[in-house]
Amino acid sequence: MGRVMLLLVAVALLGGALATRPSPASHARQPPALAGSPTALASKAAPASQPALQTRVTQSSQGEGTPVIIASKPFAESYVLAEIFAQLLEARGIAVDRRFGLGATEIAFGALREGAIDIYPEYTGTALAAILGEEMQADAEAVYRHVAGTFRERWDARWLAPLGFENTYAIAVRRETAEELGLATLSDLAREAGGLRAGFTPDFIGRSDGLPGLRAAYGFEAAEVLPLLQAVKYEALVESGVDVIDGYSTDGLIARYDLVVLEDDRGFFPPYEAAGLVNGDFWRRRPDAIAALSELSGLLDEERVREWNRRAESEGDPVAEIARDALAELGLVVPDAEEALESDPAESAATREPEREAATAAESARSPVVGFASYMWQNRTDILGHARRHIVLVIVSLAAAALLAIPAGLMLVRVTGGAEGVIRTIGLVQTIPSLALLAFMIPALGIGVVPAVFALFLYSLFPILRNTYTGVRDANPAAVDAARALGMTPAQLLRHVRLPLAAPVIMAGLRTAAVINVGTATIAAFIGAGGLGDPIVAGLALSDTRMILSGAIPAAALALLVDGALGLAEKRVAPGGVAVE
Amino acid sequence: MTAGRDSPAPNEREPSAHFDDLSAHVDEPAAHLGEPALRAHEVVKRYGATIALDRVSLDVAQGSCVALVGESGSGKTTLLRCFNAMVRPDAGFVDVGGRPVASFDPVALRRGIGYVQQEGGLLPHWSVLRNVALVPWLRGEEDAGERARAALDRVGLPPSRFGDRWPRDLSGGQRQRVAIARALAGSPEIILLDEPFGALDAITRSELRRSFHNLRAGMGVTSLLVTHDLHEAVELADEIAVMKGGALMQVGRPEDLLSAPAHGYVEELLKRAGVG
């Protein structure tokens, strides 16, 4: 018991430390009443180009305006665009709160619709096919008009003016495959498909503007279709694991791997114009932010975006740096101001930057292990922050589940009949895929820590409830019978016999729940709750292995630690005279 | 658990006054001489469609030992458990010390009746001494530890050597001795034994049988013993009650059963056991 208490105390301290540090996800939304009148907003926006103010607003809670909550979906281009939105707003004196890497279209749009986020970059074709579930149309302008009108009418969501580029699906093959089989168009591909293995993202396989549509429009029937994640499909193609993949026309990796993009000769893919998608309430409340964001309208082009994506995915450049360069390149934020910001000695980012450069240079001479270790060291503050958040998510959800499930399990032992049914029903929660569960909860709980904790709480109930119930029910029947026959009251039986004998089993349930939770908590990143899933999601999106490992390794270590600690606790709660296998 | 080993937490003191009355009644020769310590009259117990006890009547005289014999499923254990309110009959009457079982507080009643089961039923997380002290401790008696030590001595297990051991560190025979000591530690007038030696090897069994016989003779405690072993019944019991399919076939002294079996089944049972 003592050891568990120590662990809990340690965790509580970590949690306390977390609470005193500003972290992006801990900024609760303030009441919109403070958002201010247009004049107040105008006066706030006026001195925007001055560097001093930028420094202040980067701290994000400056001023009376609520921070604008900006989200992205979990892929590189979405991160870059969202960061451009964020830095542009900051440069105009508007505080922002970043919630990048939200699960998928359903979660990001769900969060926007419910007002949990204010804006995220979306594509008209995706909106048409994946959200509205409508037929493809070839005309970009018509699609934009239709989507913008429908979204406004149906969900009060507004599409800002298109950013100026399209990012459509790009079906790609290796250059030698294209030359060997004479492939230039999707029609050519459909002709040869019977001998090819395709590797598509699960998203593409399911969407009507993906594989099903491709089948219908071109009669494309590959010999085999493998579901592959974004992060691995290029490798799989280059290593000849597959012959065809779905890329994006703005992918940085298409150029890097010298791939051939096949022409959509039947005009099957709808236009995927990128634009900011904003919540209607936000649109009315914050004309200042809308005005700032509108500065980007039509400024971007495919070549630029492809270059940014290449930097993010191939060079591993930080997204913040890419966005800063992008805004300078577009002439929206004066670079001098940014440099002034960087040279500010008080700014920790500025002092960290040269350190990073130096370390990166030195790294190339060292082994990958040493390189990774130094990467972890440089990012220790972030990683520790993620780990703390992760531990808080796990502890809070687990404690809440134990407080409910242990008494519930004890009650179930006393009711005859029906207990198994209740437990099995709770067990059904376990079968809901975690992303789906998170998506279901957005309407009620929004995004962030609360729904994440609630989801983890739900997943913890079953193992604790089941073990409490069976542990108490099956506790040494002969001993229980004899104790009852010699005059123990039901309460005495529970306290002196059943509970002590069931304690290791209950503890084992807690342990199972805790280990599951440590793993499952990584998906909290998909709804902006932070934790060690953050670097994993971002790393997957940016094809940055070190970033992925900087989340995955501490998460695995944490799981082992929790398992070991609770294993010890299990032995400690076993009463004397009772062996724990 | 923070409660002291040998004394109950104050809030767990159960009113045991009811059963003290019982001892008083039993001790009064004038009113109760010849009154059976245990009586079942036309007792019926059903479990769903199965009839476990089919209008069973049985008297156990004070200070005597009656053995319930029969095949498994014949209703022996069910009948035994009617006397400590672990089974509630659907019809008929069950009296203990001349008083209906239903009129007792079941918890107090059970604290006044010794009970031994086949598996011993020792609490695995309690030391031997604490197990034996269970009933005096439940009753809130100050000298629970003394009583437990005395009971251990009586069953041939010196408390200094065995008191602090865990049940799992004992042999099967030692565990059953502890279970018997636990049943006796509260100085009950009545003890119910459900196949107490059933799980032991032949040598240990006969050893334990002998010491139980002596113990019982010395204490004069009324005993009801469930067994499927006729030899055991003949050796230990003053009277044998033969049960089959929930019904009582015959009750009598062992020699009466042998000389005049009332039923073909009894005769067959005796023959099969090689007792005849």
Side-chain angles (χ1 to χ4, degrees), chain A residues 287-362:
Chain A
D288 60 329
I290 301 297
L293 289 165
S294 299
E295 292 178 48
L296 284 164
S297 301
L299 277 191
L300 275 47
D301 57 63
E302 270 175 58
E303 202 174 322
R304 278 203 168 102
V305 176
R306 196 177 294 128
E307 169 60 14
W308 300 337
N309 290 345
R310 192 193 59 77
R311 283 182 62 187
E313 291 177 325
S314 308
E315 307 294 319
D317 287 353
V319 170
E321 201 177 296
I322 299 171
R324 197 168 55 213
D325 295 349
L327 285 167
E329 198 180 310
L330 297 169
L332 290 177
V333 176
V334 188
D336 288 350
E338 288 297 317
E339 273 164 27
L341 171 66
E342 251 190 308
S343 64
D344 184 346
E347 194 65 11
S348 66
T351 47
R352 231 184 293 152
E353 201 61 22
E355 206 180 280
R356 199 187 70 87
E357 305 277 341
T360 313

Side-chain angles (χ1 to χ4, degrees), chain A residues 22-278:
Chain A
S23 83
S26 69
H27 297 304
R29 291 191 68 182
Q30 284 144 19
L34 289 177
S37 62
T39 45
L41 292 167
S43 67
K44 256 172 59 65
S49 53
Q50 290 169 18
L53 182 66
Q54 283 170 24
T55 316
R56 282 197 294 134
V57 295
T58 321
Q59 311 285 336
S60 112
S61 54
Q62 169 68 29
E64 43 192 67
T66 330
V68 176
I69 304 177
I70 302 177
S72 83
K73 292 200 277 187
F75 54 91
E77 185 172 296
S78 197
Y79 275 85
V80 171
L81 293 177
E83 181 63 25
I84 290 176
F85 291 170
Q87 289 191 15
L88 179 61
L89 287 179
E90 284 173 343
R92 300 295 178 263
I94 296 167
V96 301
D97 182 355
R98 293 170 173 81
R99 302 282 179 93
F100 293 176
L102 292 192
T105 304
E106 291 73 26
I107 290 181
F109 179 61
L112 183 99
R113 212 170 50 198
E114 303 299 330
I117 60 173
D118 295 324
I119 176 168
Y120 78 97
E122 188 50 284
Y123 304 87
T124 53
T126 303
L128 185 73
I131 301 177
L132 297 177
E134 290 182 12
E135 288 292 304
M136 310 307 135
Q137 293 178 37
D139 180 31
E141 239 188 271
V143 169
Y144 177 84
R145 270 200 313 274
H146 174 67
V147 164
T150 313
F151 270 57
R152 179 175 179 167
E153 190 182 305
R154 209 176 286 178
W155 297 293
D156 190 29
R158 312 300 170 114
W159 285 79
L160 301 184
L163 293 169
F165 74 97
E166 278 185 35
N167 181 5
T168 186
Y169 277 116
I171 304 302
V173 295
R174 286 183 301 277
R175 184 162 295 282
E176 73 258 27
T177 312
E179 280 164 6
E180 215 172 281
L181 301 174
L183 305 180
T185 64
L186 288 179
S187 299
D188 297 340
L189 180 71
R191 193 186 64 224
E192 302 288 342
L196 299 174
R197 280 154 63 91
F200 294 142
T201 46
D203 202 31
F204 184 82
I205 291 174
R207 288 167 59 150
S208 62
D209 56 338
L211 183 58
L214 206 60
R215 281 202 176 112
Y218 287 96
F220 172 85
E221 291 297 342
E224 196 181 348
V225 175
L226 302 176
L228 292 179
L229 284 183
Q230 176 72 13
V232 298
K233 69 186 180 189
Y234 286 96
E235 293 289 338
L237 180 62
V238 172
E239 302 298 332
S240 300
V242 295
D243 306 304
V244 190
I245 60 166
D246 61 313
Y248 302 124
S249 61
T250 51
D251 261 351
L253 294 168
I254 287 180
R256 177 179 170 193
Y257 290 121
D258 190 25
L259 304 177
V260 173
V261 173
L262 302 174
E263 189 201 332
D264 179 14
D265 52 328
R266 293 193 188 162
F268 160 68
F269 290 117
Y272 294 86
E273 279 196 294
L277 179 56
V278 305

Side-chain angles (χ1 to χ4, degrees), chain A residues 266-461:
Chain A
R266 293 193 188 162
F268 160 68
F269 290 117
Y272 294 86
E273 279 196 294
L277 179 56
V278 305
N279 174 276
D281 179 51
F282 171 76
W283 190 82
R284 282 182 295 272
R285 200 158 42 75
R286 298 297 298 265
D288 60 329
I290 301 297
L293 289 165
S294 299
E295 292 178 48
L296 284 164
S297 301
L299 277 191
L300 275 47
D301 57 63
E302 270 175 58
E303 202 174 322
R304 278 203 168 102
V305 176
R306 196 177 294 128
E307 169 60 14
W308 300 337
N309 290 345
R310 192 193 59 77
R311 283 182 62 187
E313 291 177 325
S314 308
E315 307 294 319
D317 287 353
V319 170
E321 201 177 296
I322 299 171
R324 197 168 55 213
D325 295 349
L327 285 167
E329 198 180 310
L330 297 169
L332 290 177
V333 176
V334 188
D336 288 350
E338 288 297 317
E339 273 164 27
L341 171 66
E342 251 190 308
S343 64
D344 184 346
E347 194 65 11
S348 66
T351 47
R352 231 184 293 152
E353 201 61 22
E355 206 180 280
R356 199 187 70 87
E357 305 277 341
T360 313
E363 239 167 60
S364 51
R366 278 182 267 160
S367 75
V369 176
V370 176
F372 178 67
S374 79
Y375 174 86
M376 294 288 280
W377 180 248
Q378 289 154 34
N379 294 289
R380 62 189 182 277
T381 321
D382 288 345
I383 293 167
L384 272 178
H386 293 316
R388 280 192 204 111
R389 167 58 58 86
H390 205 88
I391 291 168
V392 168
L393 291 174
V394 170
I395 294 281
V396 172
S397 57
L398 196 66
L403 281 178
L404 180 70
I406 292 177
L410 296 179
M411 271 162 59
L412 285 180
V413 176
R414 305 215 52 180
V415 304
T416 39
E420 286 296 338
V422 172
I423 292 175
R424 226 168 291 144
T425 309
I426 300 286
L428 283 181
V429 175
Q430 232 67 13
T431 66
I432 305 175
S434 39
L435 262 183
L437 183 62
L438 292 174
F440 291 154
M441 287 189 314
I442 289 175
L445 298 172
I447 60 165
V449 171
V450 173
V453 165
F454 190 68
L456 294 175
F457 160 81
L458 288 179
Y459 283 128
S460 303
L461 284 178

Side-chain angles (χ1 to χ4, degrees), chain B residues 36-41 57-61 64 66 239 248 251:
Chain B
L38 301 173
R39 159 172 280 177
H41 180 71
S57 298
L58 176 75
D59 284 0
V60 179
S64 73
V66 171
E239 284 192 304
L248 200 57
V251 187

